[in-house]
Amino acid sequence: MLTYLAVFATAQISYEWIRILGLTLVMTLLSTLISALIGMPLGTILASSRFPGRRFLRRLLQTGMSLPPVVAGLLVFLLLSRQGPLGSLRLLFSLPAMIIAQCLLIIPIMASLTCSIVENRQKPIRETLLTLGQPTHKIYFIILRENSQALITVVLTGFGRAISEVGAVMMVGGNIAGKTRVLTTAIMLETNRGNFQSAIVLGAILMLLALAVNMIVNRLREDEYVS
Amino acid sequence: MLAEHKQTEFSTFASGRLVHEWGQRFRLDIADLQILPRTSYAILGANGSGKSTLLRLLAARMLENDQFSEPGAIGYLPQTPYSFRLTVEENVRLGIAPELGLSTNEQNEIIISCLDSLGLLHLRSEPGHKLSGGEAQRMALARLMTVKRRVLLLDEPTGALDLQGLSLAERAISDYLKTSDCTLMLVTHQLSLAERLCEQLIFLNNGKLEAAGPLMETLRSKPTASLSQYLHFEKSVCLSESTEGMA
């Protein structure tokens, strides 16, 4: 079966497939990176600071964790459509629109998970640094760094969500060949066309991609643990 | 050599009422504590009497107080000190607040001196989070001693130390007190250590302040039944004499 898939995949590899793979990687990595840069500091601040509306914001982010992708897609679609508040940017049916939709889905997940991790472990770190006279921004940075092992799992969760997402990217990307077609939307298209073999190979490539990223990240984690 | 704050002295610090409840089981309620500058206090009491809670509350109150607003004015060492995922040297460097504006060379000089005084110089490049309990405790002490602080709040700083570590830590604390003129608040179960380092006693029982005053006089007069019972169990006289004899 694997040999058959490999032979079939080799035969199918074309410029379009390489383009799909490239777009998938760019979209997934950028949306994971942007979400991590926003979600993780947000989660850290939520876990280690007290301010009015903190509890509400936390509930909102927790609710956002179960935001249906099509709802996220709809929100971004309305925001970026010609009559929408950001219509003048002309971003609809483009890669940036897909990244925005994915960030909307991933930021609440990363922020909530970071908040839970940091909340349980930040107290001794914060107390120590606060009395030693370290500035607030450095305290937040050190809290994140001290929890880096656990936070890698948060990044992988966000990556997993980004690479497997189909509803939102389909709505705001439009599945345009060579422009916004990614692995998940291509699988959907091939299935609808009845090209099940192509769909299976694309699915296998998607799984291999996820496996490769997980293996690289886990290797980095092991290296850090050993050192 | 220690990095210095502009103003190292503070006037008497009044803690105000200190209350902390821990479910139904425990309630700490202390009306007011007057903490004098350049004075060492031993906080004694049985397990669960509220010593660590009192120290934490004091640290929090002091952080809010204008007299201790300069970064790093308070040195608080919890019972289980935190070791950062950095080398021992970098762990100790965190004790020096950036606002003091010391150059890297000046910082290194201080760090080496502090590590040396606590017998940790050979471990300076090792990861701090992989030290043994006693080494981690000494590293946390070294981190506090990088800067002249107004007050040191130490929660059982020698609890995990062997005899050599205990001797090093005691000497380091004693030297630090002499050079920095800071106030010490020491939670300990080692009466002999309290006798050697502290002038004043704060004795807690079930979350209440039972006795306070000059350490030796209060220990001798045993003004309350609970202090008398505590001293009986701790066998203070025997312990004190035997430790002094060994030293």
Side-chain angles (χ1 to χ4, degrees), chain B residues 20-28 48-51 53 206-207:
Chain B
H20 184 80
E21 286 186 35
W22 198 267
Q24 298 282 315
R25 199 175 71 87
F26 173 74
R27 180 181 161 89
L28 178 96
S49 58
K51 303 182 296 296
T53 308
N206 285 328

Side-chain angles (χ1 to χ4, degrees), chain A residues 1-13 17 21 183 187 190 195-209:
Chain A
M1 177 71 179
L2 279 173
T3 319
Y4 172 73
L5 279 176
V7 170
F8 188 79
T10 315
Q12 290 286 314
I13 286 173
W17 277 37
L21 189 63
L183 279 168
I187 292 169
E190 295 300 331
N195 297 334
F196 297 118
Q197 284 173 328
S198 296
I200 289 170
V201 173
L202 285 167
I205 293 172
L206 188 73
M207 292 306 295
L208 281 173
L209 198 64

Side-chain angles (χ1 to χ4, degrees), chain B residues 50-71:
Chain B
K51 303 182 296 296
S52 297
T53 308
L54 170 65
L55 213 61
R56 283 170 62 90
L57 288 177
L58 277 174
R61 284 280 162 91
M62 285 175 173
L63 273 174
E64 293 164 359
N65 191 287
D66 287 343
Q67 295 196 89
F68 304 97
S69 61
E70 270 188 43

Side-chain angles (χ1 to χ4, degrees), chain B residues 151-199:
Chain B
V151 61
L152 272 191
L153 304 157
L154 308 181
D155 194 350
E156 296 192 37
T158 57
L161 302 186
D162 57 18
L163 286 174
Q164 192 192 356
L166 181 69
S167 158
L168 284 167
E170 186 181 331
R171 195 181 310 149
I173 296 170
S174 174
D175 290 348
Y176 181 81
L177 291 178
K178 278 176 205 151
T179 51
S180 66
D181 280 340
C182 88
T183 287
L184 171 70
M185 304 218 62
L186 174 74
V187 169
T188 184
H189 284 294
Q190 289 165 313
L191 275 171
S192 53
L193 182 74
E195 284 170 15
R196 288 194 293 271
L197 288 176
C198 302
E199 303 145 2

Side-chain angles (χ1 to χ4, degrees), chain A residues 123 127 131 134 146 225, chain B residues 56 74 82 85 94 130:
Chain A
K123 206 173 168 185
E127 269 178 6
T131 52
Q134 294 296 335
E146 288 296 306
Y225 186 75
Chain B
R56 283 170 62 90
I74 302 161
Y82 189 83
R85 298 175 70 86
L94 283 171
K130 289 185 180 169

Side-chain angles (χ1 to χ4, degrees), chain A:
Chain A
M1 177 71 179
L2 279 173
T3 319
Y4 172 73
L5 279 176
V7 170
F8 188 79
T10 315
Q12 290 286 314
I13 286 173
S14 62
Y15 176 72
E16 196 197 335
W17 277 37
I18 293 168
R19 185 90 195 223
I20 287 172
L21 189 63
L23 272 174
T24 307
L25 271 174
V26 170
M27 178 193 72
T28 309
L29 294 176
L30 273 179
S31 49
T32 308
L33 179 71
I34 296 167
S35 302
L37 287 176
I38 299 171
M40 288 163 90
L42 182 63
T44 309
I45 293 168
L46 269 177
S48 48
S49 307
R50 298 288 174 269
F51 55 87
R54 172 184 167 271
R55 203 171 268 193
F56 175 73
L57 186 60
R58 203 170 163 191
R59 297 271 181 280
L60 198 70
L61 287 168
Q62 279 170 341
T63 310
M65 284 176 84
S66 41
L67 180 71
V70 283
V71 176
L74 179 65
L75 287 173
V76 177
F77 188 93
L78 292 173
L79 203 68
L80 300 178
S81 64
R82 293 222 169 174
Q83 281 79 36
L86 299 176
S88 59
L89 297 174
R90 307 257 170 137
L91 287 176
L92 200 58
F93 304 125
S94 69
L95 187 66
M98 291 154 76
I99 293 172
I100 294 170
Q102 290 217 320
C103 287
L104 195 63
L105 287 167
I106 305 167
I107 288 171
I109 297 173
M110 285 196 168
S112 295
L113 291 178
T114 304
C115 186
S116 300
I117 290 168
V118 170
E119 202 163 44
N120 291 330
R121 301 166 67 168
Q122 54 98 24
K123 206 173 168 185
I125 306 173
R126 200 164 168 273
E127 269 178 6
T128 304
L129 295 171
L130 207 62
T131 52
L132 291 173
Q134 294 296 335
T136 313
H137 69 274
K138 196 170 176 186
I139 294 177
Y140 287 136
F141 172 74
I142 295 175
I143 289 173
L144 273 176
R145 195 190 55 203
E146 288 296 306
N147 291 299
S148 59
Q149 294 278 323
L151 292 176
I152 285 174
T153 312
V154 176
V155 175
L156 284 178
T157 309
F159 175 83
R161 179 78 191 238
I163 202 168
S164 60
E165 214 290 306
V166 59
V169 293
M170 181 74 109
M171 282 179 84
V172 299
N175 199 17
I176 303 164
K179 197 182 167 201
T180 59
R181 185 164 298 162
V182 289
L183 279 168
T184 49
T185 53
I187 292 169
M188 208 166 149
L189 182 73
E190 295 300 331
T191 309
N192 288 340
R193 280 176 178 166
N195 297 334
F196 297 118
Q197 284 173 328
S198 296
I200 289 170
V201 173
L202 285 167
I205 293 172
L206 188 73
M207 292 306 295
L208 281 173
L209 198 64
L211 182 70
V213 171
N214 272 279
M215 281 172 75
I216 293 167
V217 172
N218 277 315
R219 184 62 193 264
L220 289 174
R221 184 156 52 178
E222 281 161 18
D223 283 351
E224 197 194 339
Y225 186 75
V226 170
S227 68

